[in-house]
Amino acid sequence: MSLAKRKRPKREDKMIRTEKRLESDVFDRQSLFAIAKLMKDGHFATVDYPVAKGKEANIFCGTTTDGKKVAIKIYRIDTSNFIRMHDYIDGDPRFQGTSRKRFETILAWTRKEYSNLKAFHEAGVSVPRPIAFLRNVVVMEFFAEGNIAFSTLEQMGSENPQKDYDFMLTQVKKIYQAGFVHGDISEYNILVTDDGLKLLDCAQAVLLAHPRAEDFLRRDVENLVRYFKKQGVKEADTEKALAYIKDARPVLRGLEQLKYDEENKKE
Ligand SMILES: Nc1ncnc2c1ncn2[C@@H]1O[C@H](COP(=O)(O)OP(=O)(O)OP(=O)(O)O)[C@@H](O)[C@H]1O
Ligand SMILES: [Mg+2]
């Protein structure tokens, strides 16, 4: 360490440390700004407690002025794997031209999660209802009993594996018919709630126009087959499940439809 650095005045030292902590913590300046604006716009009145820390984001519980709970998902700017995100951003016509810089990638990722949730929710898929998003923050329906968030399928196991397997295939089919593939379905991203199974973590979902959409779909189905086979669904079979899911033409809308048609003409 240089002499100049060692002799830095104490107050300045402290400021630098505070700055560092802010940058490396979830509540960095960007997140604080987004949270403040979302609060000002009335999406929640308080940020109450941390619910979970995922690989890319921290999830908090918030409360609205009329006492309703919301989930606040804050993508970490510093520590999320933004390189991996490009596997799901590049090739999705909705996000063409997204910069490869860390911050811009995370903003696109957040916008992608919100718009996927919106499309899925409108298509009747069992996902959290999206409420709002800004910068690196998504606000959505919170699945909890009182203050305690429901657990994942991985933690809870399935009480009725055949019913749950059929239900999940129906969800994948609905997503496919809406023109998407989820891309990260597993027992870790499914919550067991008192209102049935709920599929989380929708940011990586891609349009069927994505060149790897088929691979992602197969991987999702294989994960379900593997999990539910272990739970005792003997007939669970990837090929049969894929045939069931694809047995209807996907319904795409607007610009997405045009882009999808364009992609398919090239084949
Ligand atoms: N809407 C919600 N309601 C209740 N709990 C939630 C909700 N969203 C997320 N959680 C909790 O937070 C955890 C992490 O959420 P999510 O999978 O969306 O984040 P992530 O950072 O993408 O995670 P990972 O990359 O580790 O899968 C979930 O497993 C779940 O326990
Ligand atoms: Mg997850």
Side-chain angles (χ1 to χ4, degrees), residues 35-46 63-66 68 70 131-132 139:
I35 290 166
K37 176 79 170 68
L38 287 163
M39 284 174 117
K40 195 162 158 265
D41 291 347
H43 297 298
F44 50 89
T46 55
T63 309
T64 64
T65 42
D66 36 353
K68 293 203 180 78
V70 295
I131 296 169
V139 188

Side-chain angles (χ1 to χ4, degrees), residues 148-258:
I148 318 274
F150 286 111
S151 301
T152 64
L153 189 58
E154 191 270 330
Q155 292 162 329
M156 296 295 289
S158 172
E159 265 191 14
N160 189 338
Q162 183 68 56
K163 186 169 147 256
D164 286 348
Y165 176 63
D166 293 345
F167 180 77
M168 285 316 300
L169 289 191
T170 315
Q171 304 312 301
V172 180
K173 185 171 180 138
K174 279 187 187 176
I175 293 173
Y176 183 80
Q177 280 186 291
F180 292 85
V181 170
H182 182 284
D184 196 16
I185 298 184
S186 78
E187 61 274 27
Y188 295 90
N189 277 333
I190 298 169
L191 282 190
V192 182
T193 80
D194 56 2
D195 183 33
L197 302 182
K198 303 286 174 182
L199 184 55
L200 297 179
D201 227 350
C202 296
Q204 67 294 311
V206 295
L207 287 178
L208 290 175
H210 191 289
R212 292 187 59 199
E214 283 292 324
D215 298 346
F216 296 153
L217 176 63
R218 179 168 285 272
R219 191 176 63 191
D220 282 350
V221 171
E222 280 171 354
N223 282 343
L224 289 174
V225 166
R226 175 195 39 76
Y227 176 77
F228 283 104
K229 259 202 153 137
K230 248 195 284 165
Q231 302 276 312
V233 183
K234 289 200 189 70
E235 321 76 83
D237 175 81
T238 302
E239 300 313 321
K240 273 195 201 142
L242 282 169
Y244 162 74
I245 290 157
K246 292 173 156 192
D247 148 52
R249 195 177 181 280
V251 185
L252 305 183
R253 281 154 287 150
L255 187 62
E256 292 166 10
Q257 172 80 63
L258 283 176

